[in-house]
Amino acid sequence: MTRTIHRNFEQVTDAESARSALLSNGFPIASVKLTKHTPLPPNVATSTVGNILDSLTPGGPAAAAHARMRSGAMLTVDIYDDDDREKADAIMSGFGAHPA
């Protein structure tokens, strides 16, 4: 049975490198998906809630704004067994992956 694992990367280039490594290590292209993190478009509700949460963030609104500006990406990998999971985790960890 196929399972899917997700790992986040702080830098898009790290995620792209991990994707290349997965593919060169035998993972099928259809089983590896890279999704770049993009900010959601603002609207009144999210702006209001965001402003409230920003004021509660350690470091205040400036720290919250800086955190939102960070780039990154998520790799999603379809795995078929525990060996695939261990192999994928080892490869992605080498590029700075964090559990999603």
Side-chain angles (χ1 to χ4, degrees):
M1 177 165 72
T2 304
R3 293 178 293 164
T4 304
I5 58 174
H6 310 278
R7 299 295 179 264
N8 282 307
F9 294 81
E10 291 185 19
Q11 301 298 321
V12 174
T13 54
D14 292 339
E16 291 170 338
S17 296
R19 181 181 183 278
S20 294
L22 288 164
L23 297 176
S24 67
N25 278 278
F27 286 87
I29 195 165
S31 71
V32 181
K33 181 181 178 186
L34 185 140
T35 305
K36 295 178 183 178
H37 297 308
T38 56
L40 297 173
N43 65 40
V44 175
T46 57
S47 293
T48 301
V49 172
N51 289 336
I52 293 168
L53 294 176
D54 287 356
S55 67
L56 300 173
T57 300
H66 176 71
R68 278 193 300 277
M69 292 173 57
R70 293 173 60 188
S71 64
M74 180 176 66
L75 271 182
T76 302
V77 183
D78 294 331
I79 57 169
Y80 301 96
D81 56 33
D82 287 337
D83 291 337
D84 278 353
R85 184 189 52 75
E86 290 174 12
K87 185 177 177 181
D89 272 335
I91 291 169
M92 291 187 289
S93 292
F95 293 94
H98 302 283

